[in-house]
Amino acid sequence: MKHLYIILLLLTALLTARAQQAQPGINISGAGNTAYKELDDIGPLYAIQSPSPHGSIIFTPGGDAWHFSWTYEGTLQPVTPYDDSTRYAFPNRGDGHYTLTATRPDGTREERAFIITHIDFSFETELANELDCRYIDIRLKYTELPTYGALSKTEGVEYWVNWGGKDRGPFDGQYALAIDLSRQISQPVAGEHHDVSYSVRIIDRFGFMWESPIGIYTSVIPKAELELKLGNTVDVVGEVHGEMGQAPLEVAYHNNSDNAHRYEWLLYRDTVEMTAPALVWTDSLIGGQVIETFEPPLYTYAHPGHYKVLLIAENETSKCRDTSDAAYVHVVESLLEVPNVFTPNGDGKNDIFMVRALSIQSFHGVILNRWGRQIYEWHDHTDGWDGHIHGKLANPGTYYYVITARGRERVSPPRYIKKGALMLIR
């Protein structure tokens, strides 16, 4: 697409230049892109985008039986023999004044007077203040843009920057004047954490396009990016958060930053306990400390909550810094759910009477028979009753449970007391 766009620009400039050849009967052939200007101080001007003269100037007055003559810089020039009396091709001698004359025996006379100037322009670029974290300047290295006589210094000039394969511009109008005076174009680089190739394209006052050699912006902009890995994830119906875990939750921090050399990890308390609206050091989960390492060690979140994590990355050359998007550690609130039926028949489905517990700090459960006698006891919510009594299969029927637990919430942890009947079915 880039090349197609440039081709379209070139064709547009060429067609525009050709259309501006306002003198009837004059055609500049084989000389390169040509622009025609009517200048108040000198009159008609043909500007040719070429370092040296070549091609010809074809004069076609209209009709036939013409006799041709011409002068270059006021000096009469020889005319080679010709058979076609309707037109004549004068050689392009280079920059200067031309007067082309066609006469007939009856005294009819056609004359065209104009100036030709050949334009050869090239320029280079260099970067200024390339250690800036937000904007750098592309400095244009040239003395003067192509001009002639009293031609306006900024009229029709456009500047384009091709930045990493994408065009930025045109910078024209009042911006063209500012660029022409300062010889530099400011470019935003915030967030540009990879090296970028660039070039500058100038469309001058004649519509001719010139492009600088390709340069390289060596990025000094860091990109801070982090990833969290939760040690034990859980699913909770109705929760709208992303990945969640239960307390105690072990979390690993991974640094995916780019173009950085120094790092600061900020671990914050539960968001409901944080100072609003701005974050302060008293909101730190680890006593106001900053972890200055590539990746911090594993951290265990002991209590339910919604914890914020930030990473700041710094480029050692520019001292530019970037702060990552906020990541959150979701530690679910405590939960205790008790089923009322289980089927210990050895089919691998619902063979164990187990509670569903999340973020539980302490737990105790007992199973009672119909006469209130304790037949099973356990202290770990990940265990459960397998339907045996003293190693023998318990009879199907109704049994009873009494379960107590305490949640891991940091403030006012809830206490759970669950009592009820359960059905053992084989």
Side-chain angles (χ1 to χ4, degrees):
M1 287 298 292
K2 172 189 171 184
H3 298 297
L4 177 59
Y5 182 72
I6 292 174
I7 290 172
L8 289 175
L9 277 177
L10 284 170
L11 288 175
T12 300
L14 178 59
L15 291 174
T16 301
R18 293 299 184 191
Q20 290 176 338
Q21 293 182 6
Q23 288 204 112
I26 297 296
N27 181 42
I28 309 295
S29 175
N33 294 334
T34 304
Y36 177 81
K37 297 283 185 180
E38 284 279 356
L39 302 181
D40 293 338
D41 57 340
I42 63 171
L45 170 71
Y46 289 96
I48 300 175
Q49 189 178 19
S50 174
S52 60
H54 56 277
S56 58
I57 306 154
I58 301 173
F59 182 23
T60 309
D64 58 7
W66 293 105
H67 297 279
F68 297 97
S69 62
W70 66 298
T71 65
Y72 171 64
E73 289 291 283
T75 301
L76 187 65
Q77 301 296 310
V79 177
T80 59
Y82 54 90
D83 295 326
D84 185 355
S85 65
T86 65
R87 60 199 295 271
Y88 186 80
F90 299 85
N92 182 350
R93 291 284 176 83
D95 295 0
H97 291 256
Y98 292 75
T99 301
L100 312 183
T101 305
T103 59
R104 285 190 177 124
D106 62 3
T108 304
R109 180 184 179 90
E110 291 286 342
E111 185 174 279
R112 305 289 185 268
F114 51 85
I115 293 174
I116 285 181
T117 181
H118 291 79
I119 297 175
D120 183 25
F121 175 71
S122 62
F123 69 101
E124 296 181 346
T125 63
E126 64 181 8
L127 297 181
N129 62 299
E130 57 264 55
L131 296 185
D132 191 275
C133 301
R134 298 184 61 194
Y135 291 91
I136 56 100
D137 292 322
I138 301 177
R139 185 168 295 158
L140 310 180
K141 299 171 68 175
Y142 63 84
T143 303
E144 185 70 41
L145 290 178
T147 189
Y148 199 95
L151 189 64
S152 168
K153 295 295 184 182
T154 58
E155 180 184 0
V157 178
E158 291 183 355
Y159 298 84
W160 297 76
V161 174
N162 185 283
W163 187 265
K166 296 181 179 180
D167 277 330
R168 296 176 175 179
F171 305 95
D172 57 2
Q174 59 180 337
Y175 302 104
L177 177 59
I179 294 170
D180 196 49
L181 292 174
S182 67
R183 299 288 194 274
Q184 59 189 26
I185 305 175
S186 181
Q187 291 295 294
V189 293
E192 198 72 78
H193 56 98
H194 294 136
D195 294 353
V196 179
S197 62
Y198 72 91
S199 63
V200 175
R201 190 167 64 253
I202 299 176
I203 298 177
D204 67 18
R205 304 170 182 97
F206 301 102
F208 300 148
M209 185 167 65
W210 315 90
E211 189 160 8
S212 71
I214 293 176
I216 299 295
Y217 164 70
T218 301
S219 175
V220 293
I221 309 298
K223 172 64 175 178
E225 188 172 305
L226 65 90
E227 182 182 8
L228 305 178
K229 291 292 185 182
L230 278 57
N232 54 332
T233 59
V234 295
D235 293 321
V236 179
V237 176
E239 287 284 352
V240 296
H241 299 305
E243 196 174 45
M244 298 174 294
Q246 64 168 315
L249 176 61
E250 190 176 71
V251 175
Y253 307 91
H254 297 293
N255 190 336
N256 298 329
S257 300
D258 191 19
N259 208 24
H261 311 88
R262 182 178 172 272
Y263 307 93
E264 296 178 6
W265 291 83
L266 308 175
L267 310 185
Y268 291 104
R269 294 186 295 167
D270 188 352
T271 54
V272 299
E273 303 173 0
M274 289 165 57
T275 304
L279 294 173
V280 295
W281 287 117
T282 55
D283 290 325
S284 171
L285 188 64
I286 52 176
Q289 299 179 42
V290 177
I291 304 173
E292 295 182 310
T293 184
F294 180 73
E295 288 182 346
L298 296 175
Y299 186 84
T300 301
Y301 291 81
H303 307 289
H306 187 58
Y307 300 90
K308 186 174 186 176
V309 181
L310 290 175
L311 170 62
I312 299 173
E314 181 179 291
N315 181 282
E316 66 180 358
T317 302
S318 62
K319 306 305 178 186
C320 297
R321 292 160 67 89
D322 182 54
T323 301
S324 69
D325 294 334
Y328 292 91
V329 177
H330 307 292
V331 186
V332 297
E333 296 177 351
S334 61
L335 172 73
L336 184 65
E337 295 178 346
V338 183
N340 57 15
V341 63
F342 80 120
T343 58
N345 54 14
D347 64 357
K349 299 177 181 179
N350 198 25
D351 285 338
I352 306 294
F353 176 77
M354 294 181 64
V355 302
R356 184 169 187 258
L358 299 175
S359 297
I360 294 297
Q361 181 162 343
S362 60
F363 177 89
H364 178 252
V366 296
I367 301 295
L368 308 173
N369 63 17
R370 70 179 67 182
W371 298 283
R373 180 178 299 173
Q374 178 175 313
I375 59 174
Y376 184 75
E377 179 181 21
W378 74 111
H379 295 274
D380 186 344
H381 65 81
T382 62
D383 292 335
W385 182 36
D386 63 0
H388 287 73
I389 301 175
H390 304 305
K392 298 181 179 181
L393 292 176
N395 294 324
T398 301
Y399 294 84
Y400 300 90
Y401 62 83
V402 178
I403 296 173
T404 59
R406 184 174 293 276
R408 282 187 171 271
E409 281 76 2
R410 191 175 67 85
V411 179
S412 303
R415 179 176 176 81
Y416 297 92
I417 301 176
K418 301 281 187 175
K419 298 179 180 180
L422 68 98
M423 182 67 66
L424 188 160
I425 302 174
R426 293 195 189 277

